[in-house]
Amino acid sequence: MAAIETLAPDALALFNRWQRGLPLVPRPFDALGADHGLSGAKVREQLRDGLARGEISRVGAVFGIGAGGAGMLCALRVPADRLEQVAHWVSAEPGVNHNYAREHAWNLWFVVTASNEAQLQACVERIEQRCGLRALRLRMRRAYRIDLGFDLFGGSAALRIADADVMPVSTALRPLAARLEDGVPLVERPWGPLGAPLGLGEGAVMTTLRRWVAQGTVRRLGVVLRHHELGITANAMTVFALPDSEVDAAGARLAAQPGVTLCYRRERTPDWPYTLYCMVHGRERAEVRQRIDAATQAAGLSNAAREVLFSTRRFKQTGGRYFAS
């Protein structure tokens, strides 16, 4: 694992700054480099190196909730002596993009994405049948703060409360969205090669992406980092049990707190009464705990029933696939 201190300063600044706002111009990497005194070729070299080291997952799009496909957070209650085997089975499913062990009786948490609801349910059912375990199925209802990237220098990304409604990707353009999930080609003029297999020219691709960004279909366009490889190895999911009438107001307050990287609402189940979730990431467990406690107090949630689930192992972390056929 590469420590953050091993990166050259220009690469670190590049990765940090361009998690958002990849320029929608013919030569985006030239535009990225201009602010750092780097050529477009050097920028692409830095990005390729980051991909090779595992610090970058891809350079591409993160789509808004509702842009297309289906997704769900799930959890299993796995006996300790079976955790390794069950985690292996879960990770083997192509539709699983995140798979973590967490400190709780429900100790294996994973995210499933698919191009439609039927594929999503089939994936979870295969996991349940193979493992002989029943999964919690926790659908997202609203995102208050999600996928703004990690500030590698300890700051917070500017808050943007997620829109309740997002314009979905049209059927005709789903193949373009699928290619963006794979990543933008690291070539001088990437938009033409991205659209060429679909019969779309450079201008048409840029016009489409500008529209998707403006309407929230694409939440973020830029470098998608793998935070573990950059030294951000402590993370905890905090869940709060709140009445339905209070969740949205509390979610907006919690999302605005320093240190909160993700904040969203999920449906409750008979076995899981929690409706409001937040993620806090950091380099040390104590630091993460302090941020959680401070955010909880500042958001007026000190008296709410809550649980803090620190991750203990990452089994899988890849990009979600909402548009792959």
Side-chain angles (χ1 to χ4, degrees):
M1 180 180 298
I4 191 170
E5 291 81 2
T6 67
L7 286 174
D10 57 349
L12 184 58
L14 178 72
F15 293 178
N16 195 62
R17 180 168 182 178
W18 294 108
Q19 293 181 69
R20 296 165 292 280
L22 182 66
L24 288 168
V25 297
R27 294 178 173 83
F29 303 113
D30 289 356
L32 291 186
D35 291 338
H36 297 270
L38 301 172
S39 67
K42 184 63 175 178
V43 169
R44 295 193 298 275
E45 178 186 330
Q46 298 277 19
L47 294 174
R48 290 190 191 100
D49 288 347
L51 284 165
R53 291 190 299 264
E55 296 151 358
I56 294 176
S57 172
R58 68 190 184 283
V59 180
V62 177
F63 286 89
I65 303 301
M72 189 160 56
L73 175 67
C74 299
L76 294 171
R77 191 194 297 258
V78 185
D81 61 351
R82 296 189 62 205
L83 183 62
E84 189 84 22
Q85 180 186 53
V86 171
H88 174 75
W89 288 339
V90 171
S91 294
E93 280 286 342
V96 171
N97 62 307
H98 282 60
N99 185 20
Y100 280 76
R102 294 193 177 277
E103 294 174 343
H104 195 273
W106 293 95
N107 55 348
L108 191 67
W109 291 78
F110 57 97
V111 176
V112 180
T113 58
S115 61
N116 58 59
E117 181 66 23
Q119 290 180 4
L120 182 78
Q121 295 296 341
C123 178
V124 180
E125 288 168 7
R126 284 194 300 272
I127 289 171
E128 289 179 320
Q129 290 170 6
R130 184 165 193 183
C131 302
L133 300 168
R134 180 180 56 84
L136 289 178
R137 304 185 187 203
L138 305 167
R139 293 190 177 278
M140 185 178 291
R141 290 307 182 200
R142 188 171 182 192
Y144 307 107
R145 181 187 187 102
I146 191 163
D147 226 312
L148 296 172
F150 294 91
D151 192 300
L152 300 178
F153 299 102
S156 296
L159 175 63
R160 176 188 173 189
I161 298 295
D163 297 329
D165 298 311
V166 167
M167 291 294 293
V169 174
S170 66
T171 300
L173 290 174
R174 285 178 67 91
L176 178 62
R179 288 179 63 79
L180 271 176
E181 286 180 332
D182 288 332
V184 175
L186 297 182
V187 297
E188 183 178 10
R189 299 179 71 120
W191 311 122
L194 190 71
L198 314 174
L200 297 173
E202 178 182 80
V205 171
M206 288 191 294
T207 297
T208 299
L209 294 185
R210 290 187 188 113
R211 182 175 72 251
W212 283 354
V213 170
Q215 66 193 17
T217 300
V218 167
R219 183 186 305 118
R220 180 161 69 91
L221 184 63
V223 175
V224 180
L225 299 176
R226 289 170 59 83
H227 56 274
H228 273 246
E229 281 68 18
L230 290 163
I232 305 173
T233 57
N235 79 80
M237 179 178 74
T238 303
V239 294
F240 300 86
L242 297 174
D244 290 347
S245 60
E246 299 178 13
V247 179
D248 284 342
R253 295 193 305 270
L254 188 60
Q257 302 310 314
V260 172
T261 51
L262 307 173
C263 185
Y264 42 85
R265 177 177 185 169
R266 292 190 181 276
E267 62 187 16
R268 64 168 55 86
T269 74
D271 295 314
W272 193 255
Y274 305 101
T275 50
L276 180 61
Y277 295 60
C278 79
M279 291 295 303
V280 174
H281 296 75
R283 294 186 178 86
E284 302 291 341
R285 183 185 177 104
E287 166 199 0
V288 170
R289 172 63 78 170
Q290 289 175 354
R291 289 182 178 179
I292 292 169
D293 291 344
T296 298
Q297 182 175 3
L301 294 170
S302 297
N303 294 325
R306 71 167 182 171
E307 296 201 51
V308 179
L309 287 72
F310 274 91
S311 68
T312 57
R313 184 169 175 186
R314 179 186 62 172
F315 292 103
K316 186 176 184 181
Q317 180 193 358
T318 63
R321 300 306 306 265
Y322 293 94
F323 299 99
S325 59

